Each structure stands twice: as C-alpha cells, then as structure tokens.
Amino acid sequence: MRWFAAWASAGGRGDLTPLHRRLWWLVLAAGVAVIGGYYLLPSGSLVQSLVYNTVALSSGALVLAGVRLHRPRRRALWYCFAAGEFTAGVAEVVYSVYLYGFHQSPFPSAADVFYVARYPLLIAGFVLLVGQRRDRDVRGFLDAAVVATGFGLVFWVFVLRPTVFVAGNSVLAQLLNTAYPAADTLLLAILTSLLTGSGVRNTSTRLLAGAAMALLLADIGFSVLISYFSFNNGTPFDALWLLSYVLWGVAALHPSMAADHTAVPRTPRTGLTHWRQLLLTASSMLAPGILFVPGIAEHRADWMVVAGGAMVLFLLVSLRMSGFVNQVHKQAAQLERLAQHDELTGLANRRQFQAALHHGLDGSRSYVALLDLTGFKKVNDQFGHHVGDLLLSEVATRLTAAAGGAASVVRMGGDEFALLMPGATREDAVGVAENVGGLLSQPIRADGRDLLIGANIGLTDTTGLTEPHEALRRADVAMYAAKEAGEPYRWYHPDLDRRAGDEARLGADLRIALNEGQFRLVYQPIVDLPDGRIRYVESLVRWEHPVRGLVSPVDFIPAAEQNGLIVELGEWILRTTCDQFMRWQQEHGAAAPERISVNVSARQLAEPGFAQVVADVLAATGMRPDHLIVEVTETAVFGGGVALQTVNDIHARGVRIALDDFGTGHSSLGLLQTVPVDVLKVDKSFVDNVTMAGRHAVIPTVLIQASDGLGLSAVAEGVETAEQAAELYRLGYRLAQGYHFGKPVAAPDFAARRTGLNPVSRRRTRVPERSIVP
C-alpha cells in the first residue's frame, strides 16, 4: 500500500524521484529472485502454488501501477495488458482451487476459460501498440504473416494435430487444444510485426516482447511435453510463465512506456537486416522442410495442410518482394528528383540545367543568363544561415516571376542562379535580365527584416556551341565582367576571354613574384604643416617584373585579392614594414618617423586570425603597437561582420586605425560611429580643387571640422602644389601627403624640410596652432 501511495503522489507530474526511476529494475530483480526461490520449495506443494498465483496476480497490479505512475498518452493498450494478466491470475487461482481444494485436475475446466480469455486481451494490446505507427508498415505485416504461417505449419504437424485429435477427447477439449496453439500463432505474428517494423522500439517495448516470447516458449514447450511425454506435477516451463508475468509488470514500470511509439525514420529502409532475412528464409523453408519428416506423406490431412501452407507462403513472399520492388522504384524516383532539383528552393539544379542545355544545343538559338547575388555573404555573416536560406527561397520565387515562362530558372549552388531561354531572341533575353534586376532591387523581407541585395548577370547565346560547359563558361566570364564594372548585366564578348587570360597569367606571375622576391616597398612621407617636417611615412608595395618592368598596384592588387595571394603578400608587407621602421629608429633616432602606416585589404580583414598576425609581427620585431597605423578603406568595413570585428581587435591591441580615401564611400560619416578610427585620410578628389572658390572647399572644410570635433587627425592626400598646401593649412589641416612633399621612395630623407606654403596664404591664415598627434 505504501508503494501505491508513492505512485499516486508522483504519477503524471513528470518529476519522478530516483526511486521511481529505478523501480522497474528493482521489481525485475525481485521477480527473478522469486522465480529462483520457487524451485527451492517442495514441488507441487500448496506453498509453491501460492507463490505462483501471487506472481500471476501481481503482474496485472504492476501494469496498472505503471499506468498510474507514468501516465502514458495511450492507456488503452496497457489496460488490455492489465486485464489479460488479471485474467491469467484468476485462471491460476481457479486451477489451484481445483487442484488443492477438490484434488482434481480436470480438462476442460473453468480455469481454461480464463486461460483462453487472456490471449485476446494480450493480442488486442499488441495490435494497439503496433497500430500506433504512422507508417502503416505493410512490409512488417507481410513479414509477420510469413513467420506465422511457417511456424503455424509446425504447430499443426507437431502440436495441434496430435493434441486435438487424441482419441476420447470431447469437442470442447478439441476446441481448447486448437485455441491455445492458434492464439500462440497469432501472438507470434503480431510479435514479429512489432520487432521487424520501422517504429520506435524502446526498453519498455523490448520488455513486452520478452514477456510475450517467454509466454510463447512456455506454451509451445508445454504442448510438446503433454503430446509426447508424461509428467506428474510441475514443469521446467513454469519458470518461463513466471518470467512472462514479471516482465509484463516491469515493462509497465519502465519510464519509456509513456513514450510515443509513432515516430518512424524519415526514409524507410528498403533492405533487409541479416537476422530479419534469416528469419523470413527459415519461415519460408519450413513448409517444404516438413515434407521430409518421416510419416508426413502418410497422413493426407498433414500433406494437404502443408501444401496449402506452402502456397500461402509463396503468395506472401511474392507480395513481399513486389512491395520491396515498388519501394525501390519509389526511392529511385525520389533520388532521381533529388539529383535533379535543389532541395532548398525546389528549382532545377546544375545537373538538370546541363542536361537541358545539352539537349538545346541542336542548332536552334538559346540564351543563357548566369547571375550571382551581391550582398548575400553579408546577410549570412550578419544574420546567420537561416535568414540566408529564407532570402534564397524568396530570390528563387522572384526569379521565376521575372522569367515569366520565357526561361527556366536554376539554382547552380550557393548564391548563383542561371536562366535558360530556348528559342528566345536577344531582345527577350535583355528583357528577362532587366526584369530580374528590377525585382531583385526591391527589398526582400526575410525573418522580419527588409534586406537589400542586387545581382550581376552574364548573358550569352549558344550559337555554334556543342558543349554545355562552354556556354556556362562564357556566361560566367560575362557575369564577372559585369561585377567588376558595376553593371547590372553584360553580354559575353571574345575580348573578355583575352582579358581573363591576361588576369590568369598575371595571377600565375604573382605567385612566382612572391616566391622569388620581386616585390619591394617604397615609403611616402606624411608631413607637418606648415614646416614640412616628416612625421610619418606610408608603406607602399611595388612589383618589378623581370619582363614587364614595373607593374602598377592598380593592376596587380585586384588580381592578388581575387586569387587570395593578397593574404600572403599582405603579411610580407606588414612584416617588412615593421622591420624597416625599427631599423630607422636605430639609425636616425629622433629624426626617424614617429609612426608608419600600412594598407590592409578587405580580404585580409576577413581572414580568421588576422589580428593575431598583426600582434605576432609586432612582437617579433619589437615594435610598439601605437607606432603602427593600419589603413583600411571604407568599403572594407562598411558591411560590418568579420572585417569590422577584426579592426576592433587590432585597435584593442593598441594599433591605430586610419580610414583611407575618406569621403568616397557609401556612408562615411556613419562609419565614424562604428569603426574605431584615429586618422581620417581625406581623399585626393577633395584636395584637387580646394584652391578654387565656392563649393569646392566646402567638403574639405566639413571634414576637418568633423575630425576636430571627434578628436581625430586628418591627413590631406594627393597634395601636389604649394597653393593646395597653403589652403589646406588655412582650413585647419596639419598633416598632408602628396608628390609636393615627396614621392614614394625606398629611403626617404628624414632630415629634409620643405614648407611649400605660399607666403601670402600663410600670412592670411588665422587658424591657431594645436596638437596634431593622432
């Protein structure tokens, strides 16, 4: 009673105590101990019978206790099991009354009514358990039918017929002798379905299967025993019946009994496991195997039953194989669809596109458009891949709408899409490209955010082509040309191939140049205004090609960024710059520059661990972090993400940050709020016309005022005349850089002084002197 009070207090709350969670194996251990003690009692004694009956009656009580404790969602099946076990317990008590009260062992008797009634209840429970599965596993039912038919034949030949047709048996006795093996056969079929199906099998389910298996083995063994042997009282199969009672109760007490049995694997397996195949093969071979048993052919009834069973097995196996083949065909069709379509967007994929393009290269003109999205990587980095996937799905929808039936839309992979326009005209292709650009220029809402992206499109026709990959290559070349030029779309032209070939050769030469040390550094002074004293220097890279001569950074830096060599080249520049700075400090002392700046590309900032590279170089050269200025462009950090985090990490180590070409980016003033800036390098385009009256001086004036207000230093770039220098000084600039003060050279003259200011302009200035240290 105390146990039931504990179950009642904890049942259904989902907060089981450790005792409740261990209760199942405590009961299992106790049950096994009782079974062992059962055989220590005098065989056939009343005490032994009472122990047996107690275990039988406890089984149903334990099942109900488990239901109360764990509150399963589907209780009907457990109530069927409990009713079946209680019925069996009553049967055991009734049989004991006959045996010990009336000293009789009649057959049939009232006990047999309860014994037989147990099986429909247990079978109903298993049917409810197996029927929970959403997949309605027909293969499992067929397998169960094969096993039941095969073993049913064995029952008939060796158990059922010898016991049913015993001379002198009444009709009721024959019916009961038929009912027991028939119920066992049906229970075996359902048990096979449970164990071979694709539903979830947890510990509770396995315990139930063990209980049913123990019952089947005991029934079969007992039937064979009474058919071919004689015994007085008690059998070795009592242990199996007792174990069956114990396992039914333990299965209900296990916490997994409340789990949902409906979950199935997403993709049903078409193959057979080894043991399952062995079971089905053995069951199928039972019918022809029985025919070789001596004496079977002499009994016409046995021969007819076995022959009929063999036909049933043949039909069941045929249906099973038919289902297997159908499942293979379905999965093959599914795999074919997966192989031809993109899982995320539902569009055709590259494989299907190439097949369609190959089919279209039959002499008729088709057009191919290849596009990739601008800004997609930033969305992925900033908001995560989930938002990126939503964005791609919406892009697929818009592309399909833009195609308007004139083109088939394909996702090539990543953020790259393609359109195939068979039988279209050049005007049709242009119209599709413009529709695509228009629809993608509108904000796309994904995960509650309005996102802005764009697209660069490469267009080509298939005239004269015989290979799909050549059409894709041409469209790809045109797409990258559109991207470099900032155009919405561009048509392929053979000149683009020549340009691409030059870029490829340039990329190969860059690798050789880096390996052979063809790069060198030059340094341009950044001077004080008005006295022209060199305060800092900027490190600039030059390439002396052995054949081409001096190659401009405008040509080779973009190529290095594109092929990734900028990362290795940038590290070399940084290390060499810091080494040179430290040598100047030793050689020139106070005349040496106070700081040195080095340019860092967007590709470097996006590289994992770049901030650590900067720290390692400073440590290796012994250079103080505040002596180094890292120059970044506005476009490199405009999108935030990894690049901005890297800049923050570098600045946190004490390195100063300069925004190069300031004023030419997308949102220059806004960057001053997010980027840890120390120096603004005002772009040359604002310096060129600074001496002209009117609006030309407005922006330089605003920029110096903004830098003063934010406590930043401003460096005027591209100063080429004394008049420009004087006007900049009048506006408030105290640092300048340009050819007027010195060109980039390998060894600047730090002792040189050049004011370069127009005397009149210098006398006009009324701007007070102030600190210009960044």
Side-chain angles (χ1 to χ4, degrees):
M1 295 301 294
R2 294 173 64 185
W3 278 13
F4 279 98
W7 289 324
S9 64
R13 295 201 311 265
D15 54 350
L16 299 179
T17 66
L19 174 62
H20 295 142
R21 295 186 182 279
R22 295 196 302 267
L23 191 58
W24 69 275
W25 67 262
L26 292 175
V27 172
L28 177 60
V32 171
V34 170
I35 294 173
Y38 172 83
Y39 284 95
L40 298 178
L41 298 173
S43 178
S45 66
L46 178 61
V47 175
Q48 191 182 49
S49 180
L50 290 175
V51 170
Y52 193 102
N53 295 344
T54 301
V55 173
L57 289 172
S58 298
S59 179
L62 289 174
V63 173
L64 291 179
V67 173
R68 180 70 184 91
L69 179 64
H70 298 298
R71 301 286 188 179
R73 189 161 62 92
R74 289 181 170 86
R75 304 181 190 179
L77 65 94
W78 293 102
Y79 288 145
C80 287
F81 290 146
E85 294 306 283
F86 274 125
T87 302
V90 172
E92 302 290 359
V93 172
V94 172
Y95 182 79
S96 295
V97 171
Y98 275 112
L99 187 62
Y100 297 100
F102 301 104
H103 302 287
Q104 299 178 11
S105 180
F107 179 78
S109 70
D112 289 295
V113 175
F114 289 100
Y115 279 131
V116 172
R118 176 194 193 188
Y119 289 92
L121 294 170
L122 297 183
I123 290 171
F126 277 117
V127 169
L128 291 175
L129 179 63
V130 175
Q132 287 183 22
R133 297 171 179 172
R134 298 189 185 102
D135 63 334
R136 298 295 187 263
D137 190 1
V138 177
R139 294 180 292 117
F141 287 116
L142 289 174
D143 292 347
V146 170
V147 173
T149 303
F151 283 90
L153 293 175
V154 175
F155 283 160
W156 168 263
V157 173
F158 296 104
V159 178
L160 188 58
R161 184 182 58 78
T163 57
V164 170
F165 299 105
V166 173
N169 274 354
S170 64
V171 175
L172 181 58
Q174 292 180 354
L175 288 176
L176 287 173
N177 282 332
T178 304
Y180 283 120
D184 286 334
T185 302
L186 186 55
L187 187 59
L188 176 63
I190 297 175
L191 186 60
T192 304
S193 177
L194 175 67
L195 295 178
T196 60
S198 57
V200 171
R201 287 181 289 275
N202 51 35
T203 303
S204 178
T205 305
R206 294 186 180 95
L207 289 169
L208 286 174
M213 187 61 67
L215 175 62
L216 287 173
L217 292 176
D219 285 351
I220 294 170
F222 181 78
S223 297
V224 172
L225 186 65
I226 63 174
S227 298
Y228 298 96
F229 304 95
S230 61
F231 66 98
N232 295 323
N233 204 356
T235 73
F237 301 108
D238 287 348
L240 287 175
W241 277 312
L242 288 171
L243 180 62
S244 175
Y245 287 129
V246 171
L247 290 179
W248 240 289
V250 171
L253 291 176
H254 195 278
S256 64
M257 65 89 73
D260 189 1
H261 297 269
T262 60
V264 295
R266 291 184 177 180
T267 304
R269 294 176 295 178
T270 56
L272 296 173
T273 59
H274 291 300
W275 78 269
R276 186 172 181 175
Q277 185 175 6
L278 180 63
L279 178 62
L280 293 177
T281 302
S283 301
S284 302
M285 295 298 295
L286 284 175
I290 290 174
L291 294 176
F292 290 96
V293 176
I296 294 299
E298 299 174 3
H299 297 86
R300 180 176 178 83
D302 287 345
W303 188 87
M304 294 294 293
V305 170
V306 172
M311 295 180 62
V312 172
L313 283 172
F314 176 79
L315 291 175
L316 290 174
V317 172
S318 297
L319 289 174
R320 179 66 173 86
M321 293 306 299
S322 176
F324 175 78
V325 172
N326 289 337
Q327 184 66 30
V328 169
H329 284 314
K330 288 179 182 178
Q331 289 196 335
Q334 183 180 12
L335 290 174
E336 179 68 18
R337 185 184 180 281
L338 290 174
Q340 299 287 337
H341 288 81
D342 175 60
E343 184 178 2
L344 175 64
T345 63
L347 297 175
N349 61 11
R350 179 185 290 269
R351 184 189 299 270
Q352 184 175 350
F353 178 78
Q354 289 179 331
L357 184 56
H358 182 79
H359 181 72
L361 299 178
D362 55 0
S364 61
R365 171 169 291 187
S366 298
Y367 287 90
V368 174
L370 192 65
L371 66 94
D372 72 346
L373 306 179
T374 58
F376 175 74
K377 184 179 183 301
K378 183 175 70 175
V379 170
N380 253 357
D381 291 342
Q382 189 170 356
F383 303 114
H385 292 286
H386 171 66
V387 176
D389 290 346
L390 295 176
L391 176 64
L392 290 175
S393 298
E394 179 59 27
V395 167
T397 301
R398 294 195 181 187
L399 289 177
T400 303
S408 56
V409 184
V410 177
R411 185 187 177 201
M412 303 296 284
D415 62 344
E416 193 172 85
F417 294 83
L419 295 94
L420 177 62
M421 295 165 273
T425 64
R426 188 180 179 92
E427 291 73 19
D428 294 334
V430 171
V432 170
E434 290 177 347
N435 287 341
V436 168
L439 285 177
L440 294 185
S441 65
Q442 301 172 15
I444 296 178
R445 190 159 189 83
D447 198 33
R449 299 177 176 88
D450 288 326
L451 305 174
L452 284 174
I453 60 169
N456 301 112
I457 305 173
L459 293 167
T460 187
D461 63 36
T462 62
T463 303
L465 299 181
T466 59
E467 294 295 335
H469 67 82
E470 176 60 20
L472 284 174
R473 188 196 67 80
R474 293 184 177 187
D476 188 65
V477 169
M479 179 184 71
Y480 277 101
K483 180 182 294 187
E484 291 181 1
E487 300 172 352
Y489 65 88
R490 176 172 286 196
W491 284 94
Y492 167 80
H493 190 274
D495 288 342
L496 297 179
D497 278 339
R498 289 189 287 271
R499 178 180 173 185
D502 292 339
E503 290 177 352
R505 287 189 292 273
L506 182 63
D509 286 350
L510 278 171
R511 177 74 269 176
I512 296 172
L514 198 55
N515 292 338
E516 297 183 355
Q518 297 176 8
F519 293 104
R520 62 182 179 88
L521 295 183
V522 294
Y523 307 91
Q524 187 172 29
I526 299 173
V527 304
D528 262 342
L529 293 180
D531 59 17
R533 181 176 68 88
I534 296 178
R535 290 286 300 277
Y536 320 129
V537 292
E538 179 182 356
S539 172
L540 301 168
V541 65
R542 296 292 183 263
W543 180 13
E544 292 183 348
H545 193 278
V547 177
R548 302 183 187 185
L550 191 63
V551 182
S552 170
V554 176
D555 296 326
F556 72 80
I557 290 296
E561 290 204 13
Q562 184 175 354
N563 62 21
L565 282 176
I566 192 65
V567 175
E568 188 176 347
L569 176 60
E571 185 174 346
W572 176 84
I573 293 172
L574 176 64
R575 191 175 301 277
T576 305
T577 297
C578 293
D579 280 336
Q580 182 62 69
F581 179 83
M582 294 305 293
R583 285 197 298 270
W584 284 334
Q585 293 292 310
Q586 295 174 359
E587 295 172 2
H588 299 283
E594 298 174 11
R595 295 184 174 89
I596 192 167
S597 65
V598 62
N599 292 277
V600 173
S601 72
R603 182 72 176 268
Q604 289 175 271
L605 293 176
E607 194 73 14
F610 179 70
Q612 186 60 46
V613 170
V614 174
D616 292 344
V617 169
L618 292 173
T621 58
M623 183 174 172
R624 281 173 41 185
D626 61 327
H627 285 172
L628 177 64
I629 302 174
V630 168
E631 296 191 19
V632 299
T633 61
E634 298 174 52
T635 54
V637 294
F638 174 71
V642 177
L644 180 57
Q645 183 59 50
T646 301
V647 171
N648 280 302
D649 292 343
I650 294 173
H651 190 262
R653 297 174 188 269
V655 177
R656 295 178 176 268
I657 304 297
L659 273 184
D660 197 14
D661 301 330
F662 186 76
T664 61
H666 301 284
S667 181
S668 300
L669 294 177
L671 287 176
L672 301 181
Q673 303 265 348
T674 57
V675 181
V677 180
D678 301 292
V679 181
L680 300 184
K681 301 198 73 175
V682 179
D683 188 69
K684 182 179 184 298
S685 60
F686 302 124
V687 173
D688 288 341
N689 300 318
V690 72
T691 57
M692 300 176 64
R695 61 194 299 268
H696 298 286
V698 172
I699 294 180
T701 301
V702 171
L703 294 181
I704 189 60
Q705 290 174 349
S707 64
D708 287 344
L710 294 172
L712 309 178
S713 295
V715 178
E717 295 186 291
V719 180
E720 297 183 350
T721 67
E723 288 76 18
Q724 291 175 340
E727 182 62 17
L728 289 167
Y729 178 73
R730 188 188 70 81
L731 292 176
Y733 286 86
R734 294 298 178 264
L735 291 171
Q737 177 182 5
Y739 279 12
H740 178 64
F741 302 106
K743 295 182 179 181
V745 294
D749 183 3
F750 299 121
R753 295 288 188 272
R754 180 177 180 184
T755 61
L757 299 185
N758 185 298
V760 176
S761 299
R762 187 171 180 177
R763 287 194 300 271
R764 286 190 302 169
T765 185
R766 296 179 181 176
V767 179
E769 295 291 339
R770 63 183 184 279
S771 171
I772 57 173
V773 180

